[in-house]
Amino acid sequence: MEQKPSIVDKWKSFSLGALLGFLVFFIYLDKVHQDISFLAAKQAMVDLVPFKLLNPSTSVIKPNMSSDVFLNDIDKSTKKVGKKCNMFDGRWVYKPKESRSSYDSIKCPFVEEKMSCQENGRPESEYEKWIWEARDCDIPTFNGTDMLERLRNKRMILAGDSLNRNMWESLACLLFTSIPSNAAQVKEIKGYQKLWKAKDYNFTLEFYWSPFLVELNSKHESGKKVLVLDKLSSDSEKWKGADIMVFNSGHWWDLRGKMRAWEMFEFEGKVTEDMPIDVAYEHGLKTWATWIEKNVDPKKTKVVFRSNSPWHQYDQWCYNKTQPMLDEPYKQLFTKSLVNVVERQIKGMRKPQVIYLNITKLSEYRIDAHPSMYRYKDWNTLAQKYGNNLNNYVDCSHWCLPGVPDTWNRLLYASLFFDILANSPS
């Protein structure tokens, strides 16, 4: 006969089960407490870092700050690989060991003499030792071999002003050093037009000088230099068929006085000099956008527009600067109304959509990286002759190579081939 469990036995079983349940619950609470304690400790350590470093308006970290390495480690532990972010929001970090350039400006055949600051006698190279880091994601390291493989049997053009030529020279050097020198073909078409070909990849990289993108008619029937706002540059026929197009225009529109390249505007057959610059600029960009929409197949071609590169000439003079602007809040130098025109135009384009390479703010902090007096081999003679009155000789517009344009090209590489860009022109 089967014996039924007594009330005492049932109570013992219940008590044992309850005890085991409490033990499991206690272990769970302890684990949660440890996690909370760890997060609290981590946050407390972050709080020990000076507030200035974490302030979004401060875009760089001083190389002599002991908290640099620690802050970078915290950042790396919280970033998500592959996460979409605004790559153009971040800061410059001093990394002398990691930032060594992959090319030598003296040996690279594409660098103009005026951009080769080391060859022209600049006594230090600190400007080469800063790396741009996004706040919320990791930016892929530039890989020239990988980029060439992705561009096999393709054609890429850069069209715009001398700052786009500065960028073209940087990209040509970055790619040139990724292959044997005998596998490259260098050709200058004429004047400011340049072409470089990686023969083993059947890839060409071209530059076309067109600072306004629209036509500047220096032989106008009026006898004046006329900027024709509704007629694209004659070089536009050579842009057709490229697989990647990188444009810029803005710097020359903002020049004043004797530095202006035009005397009058022409729009819809009427010639005038009485037109606000932002209105003229908008007409010019609409002409470019219309050409893009009519002549570019979005299934074949990617279009990029690079924002304006800052000019540290007047309020903030680049002469003798050897450090980025570490403590100063961001101050937009390029005319805001012209920035608005660009961003409004690009945001409205749908076929094809245009990638906006927004390098203005990150470049603004790099007052240290311009050629300055080292644009010239005889800079010492000029400095002695003119003393502090060097406004007409110091180059605070272009960039030393290697230098800031290498970062632009790293961001271009990421924008074209990695799905991490989540910013819009606005």
Side-chain angles (χ1 to χ4, degrees):
M1 182 176 180
E2 185 177 347
Q3 186 177 1
K4 294 182 179 180
S6 66
I7 295 175
V8 174
D9 291 333
K10 289 181 178 180
W11 177 251
K12 286 181 179 179
S13 299
F14 175 78
S15 299
L16 181 60
L19 179 61
L20 290 173
F22 275 113
L23 284 172
V24 171
F25 185 64
F26 178 80
I27 292 171
Y28 171 76
L29 284 178
D30 184 64
K31 179 67 172 64
V32 171
H33 177 73
Q34 288 178 10
D35 290 343
I36 292 173
S37 299
F38 171 76
L39 290 173
K42 181 178 177 182
Q43 184 60 45
M45 287 189 289
V46 173
D47 289 342
L48 288 175
V49 179
F51 175 75
K52 184 183 293 183
L53 291 176
L54 300 176
N55 188 333
S57 67
T58 303
S59 187
V60 293
I61 302 176
K62 291 184 180 180
N64 60 351
M65 288 186 176
S66 60
S67 56
D68 281 0
V69 175
F70 175 72
L71 183 60
N72 290 336
D73 289 341
I74 292 290
D75 283 347
K76 288 178 181 177
S77 69
T78 57
K79 287 179 179 178
K80 295 182 180 179
V81 177
K83 177 183 176 184
K84 286 193 175 186
C85 75
N86 181 355
M87 294 186 300
F88 312 111
D89 178 34
R91 60 179 173 231
W92 291 97
V93 181
Y94 185 75
K95 291 187 176 181
K97 293 183 179 179
E98 297 179 33
S99 58
R100 294 184 63 182
S101 176
S102 62
Y103 67 91
D104 182 340
S105 64
I106 298 175
K107 295 180 180 179
C108 180
F110 308 107
V111 178
E112 296 174 81
E113 178 184 318
K114 56 192 174 186
M115 310 306 171
S116 186
C117 301
Q118 292 299 307
E119 185 176 12
N120 291 339
R122 182 162 176 164
E124 45 74 42
S125 58
E126 290 298 294
Y127 62 92
E128 297 182 17
K129 300 175 183 178
W130 296 82
I131 291 179
W132 177 255
E133 290 189 353
R135 292 192 184 280
D136 300 317
C137 66
D138 290 320
I139 304 171
T141 301
F142 185 92
N143 186 319
T145 305
D146 175 68
M147 187 169 185
L148 282 169
E149 190 60 52
R150 293 172 185 268
L151 295 172
R152 183 180 290 275
N153 300 318
K154 296 186 184 298
R155 177 174 165 249
M156 180 175 179
I157 68 157
L158 281 77
D161 59 27
S162 57
L163 277 306
N164 243 22
R165 187 171 72 242
N166 210 173
M167 184 177 177
W168 180 92
E169 292 171 8
S170 162
L171 184 56
C173 287
L174 288 167
L175 296 176
F176 178 75
T177 54
S178 302
I179 60 175
S181 58
N182 61 0
Q185 181 180 6
V186 183
K187 181 180 179 182
E188 182 164 326
I189 304 171
K190 64 173 183 177
Y192 286 124
Q193 297 179 17
K194 301 188 178 192
L195 181 148
W196 175 80
K197 184 172 184 176
K199 293 186 288 186
D200 290 347
Y201 293 89
N202 190 30
F203 164 71
T204 57
L205 179 66
E206 305 165 29
F207 171 75
Y208 294 96
W209 168 257
S210 184
F212 299 104
L213 298 180
V214 294
E215 182 179 287
L216 176 62
N217 187 348
S218 58
K219 298 180 180 179
H220 195 269
E221 58 185 14
S222 64
K224 303 286 187 179
K225 294 179 180 178
V226 178
L227 197 55
V228 186
L229 302 175
D230 47 8
K231 184 178 181 181
L232 208 63
S233 166
S234 58
D235 278 338
S236 58
E237 286 298 312
K238 300 171 185 175
W239 306 343
K240 290 181 179 179
D243 299 277
I244 297 174
M245 300 176 170
V246 182
F247 296 96
N248 91 298
S249 183
H251 197 75
W252 281 58
W253 293 84
D254 204 33
L255 297 177
R256 295 159 194 174
K258 294 181 180 180
M259 298 183 70
R260 271 191 178 166
W262 77 91
E263 297 171 276
M264 304 187 77
F265 297 113
E266 181 179 322
F267 183 66
E268 295 182 342
K270 297 179 181 179
V271 178
T272 180
E273 56 182 328
D274 186 22
M275 183 183 295
I277 296 301
D278 55 343
V279 174
Y281 189 43
E282 185 166 16
H283 286 320
L285 282 186
K286 283 183 176 179
T287 299
W288 166 80
T290 300
W291 185 91
I292 292 292
E293 290 169 351
K294 288 182 177 180
N295 293 279
V296 171
D297 179 358
K299 295 179 180 179
K300 178 184 184 295
T301 301
K302 290 185 178 181
V303 180
V304 180
F305 194 97
R306 178 182 61 74
S307 69
N308 198 68
S309 173
W311 185 5
H312 296 96
Q313 186 75 29
Y314 299 111
D315 295 339
Q316 298 166 318
W317 202 28
C318 78
Y319 180 55
N320 276 348
K321 295 293 192 299
T322 58
Q323 289 284 313
M325 295 189 292
L326 300 175
D327 300 316
E328 297 181 37
Y330 173 66
K331 178 183 178 182
Q332 183 172 297
L333 296 182
F334 190 59
T335 306
K336 178 63 177 173
S337 61
L338 300 188
V339 173
N340 292 340
V341 168
V342 173
E343 296 186 348
R344 188 165 59 245
Q345 181 62 64
I346 292 174
K347 190 175 182 180
M349 296 176 71
R350 289 291 177 265
K351 294 182 181 180
Q353 288 188 318
V354 176
I355 297 171
Y356 186 50
L357 199 70
N358 193 2
I359 55 83
T360 303
K361 183 175 180 179
L362 67 91
S363 305
E364 172 66 37
Y365 295 102
R366 297 307 310 277
I367 194 171
D368 59 310
H370 295 288
S372 186
M373 285 301 295
Y374 306 105
R375 174 188 174 99
Y376 311 96
K377 288 188 182 299
D378 60 343
W379 63 270
N380 199 28
T381 302
L382 291 171
Q384 291 177 2
K385 182 176 180 179
Y386 295 101
N388 291 325
N389 188 26
L390 292 167
N391 285 38
N392 294 329
Y393 298 97
V394 173
D395 185 348
C396 295
S397 176
H398 300 95
W399 304 92
C400 294
L401 293 178
V404 170
D406 300 337
T407 294
W408 300 351
N409 283 312
R410 180 187 174 201
L411 296 172
L412 174 66
Y413 171 65
S415 300
L416 291 172
F417 305 119
F418 296 87
D419 188 26
I420 65 173
L421 187 63
N423 74 307
S424 66
S426 58

